[in-house]
Amino acid sequence: LAFAEAGATIVIAARTLAKGEAVAAHIREMGGTALALATDVSKADDVRALIERTTDVFGRIDVLFNNAGVSPSGAVTEVSESEWDECLNINLKSIYLTAHYALPQMIAGGGGVILTTAGTFGLRPARTKAAYSAAKAGAINLTKAIALDYARDNIRANVIAPGVVATPLLGDALDNDDFHQFLDGYQPLTGITQPEEVAALALYLASDAAKMITGAVFVIDGGQQTGLFVG
């Protein structure tokens, strides 16, 4: 929505087409242009079709935002092989696939920006998050590798690493006073990161104002990664 408000044409890739189409319809009601495509970003055929359809309809790709993710819980002895595979495929392999198919189009169009949502667990793992921590660490280094390999093609690639963000993934915790008290106990800044704040960072990194920034990781976590904090 933030990108649409800034004037971007939007293509939404989602496994559940109805959810993607609801957002696309909202963008169109705002006066913007949006297309939703049923896509499993862990599958090469789906991603190839996504990129082909996007370029067929709109002619180019300027910004690729890797924002799909799942977050299974468990240490390595507790995570099943299927959970491990799904997490690595959606959180990491998808970045390879989207870049593999989108980069030739972006380069042909004169360049572009790739953004990846990683997370603070990619910088410092958390207990019982083995698969997720591994996938997000890989996402960070893969994005940096893209930044290195394609800089002279006018491609910039950066990582956004949010901490706790007020999204539906948190479920009932958003309305739980104990959760907010716990958060304030280890986060230097009080409060919880809002999706709009992450969106504003993404917009900045996609803009010409960030034209000399690539291969960087931008943490937005209320200061959690700064060091040990006891509130």
Side-chain angles (χ1 to χ4, degrees):
L1 294 179
F3 274 83
E5 289 172 356
T9 294
I10 308 296
V11 176
I12 300 167
R15 286 190 293 186
T16 305
L17 182 58
K19 292 182 178 180
E21 180 54 39
V23 179
H26 183 50
I27 291 171
R28 292 192 289 268
E29 289 170 4
M30 293 164 48
T33 302
L35 173 67
L37 298 174
T39 308
D40 183 337
V41 292
S42 70
K43 298 185 182 303
D45 287 345
D46 279 24
V47 175
R48 182 172 56 247
L50 165 71
I51 301 305
E52 289 176 353
R53 176 70 171 153
T54 298
T55 53
D56 285 346
V57 174
F58 299 114
R60 61 185 295 116
I61 299 171
D62 297 299
V63 179
L64 167 64
F65 194 174
N66 294 298
N67 195 42
V70 294
S71 182
S73 295
V76 290
T77 55
E78 300 162 341
V79 175
S80 69
E81 184 178 0
S82 62
E83 288 176 319
W84 175 272
D85 287 345
E86 181 186 43
C87 182
L88 271 291
N89 285 341
I90 292 176
N91 292 11
L92 181 55
K93 182 183 177 182
S94 65
I95 301 168
Y96 153 73
L97 289 174
T98 57
H100 181 78
Y101 290 109
L103 274 168
Q105 301 296 334
M106 299 175 82
I107 293 168
V113 176
I114 294 177
L115 300 176
T116 297
T117 299
T120 53
F121 291 173
L123 296 167
R124 186 177 64 185
R127 293 183 62 205
T128 71
K129 282 292 181 180
Y132 183 79
S133 297
K136 291 304 187 179
I140 290 171
N141 265 348
L142 177 53
T143 304
K144 288 184 175 184
I146 292 169
L148 284 172
D149 290 337
Y150 297 97
R152 296 304 170 91
D153 294 303
N154 198 30
I155 299 293
R156 295 190 295 105
N158 290 297
V159 177
I160 298 172
V164 180
V165 183
T167 73
L169 287 175
L170 289 180
D172 296 336
L174 282 173
D175 300 317
N176 187 310
D177 289 339
D178 290 339
F179 170 76
H180 287 275
Q181 187 173 7
F182 164 76
L183 189 62
D184 287 343
Y186 77 92
Q187 180 175 286
L189 295 177
T190 58
I192 185 168
T193 304
Q194 298 300 309
E196 294 81 3
E197 294 166 333
V198 180
L201 176 57
L203 276 173
Y204 166 70
L205 291 173
S207 75
D208 287 340
K211 66 183 178 66
M212 291 303 291
I213 300 175
T214 195
V217 180
F218 287 79
V219 178
I220 177 168
D221 70 345
Q224 295 168 25
Q225 295 295 302
T226 305
L228 183 63
F229 175 83
V230 180

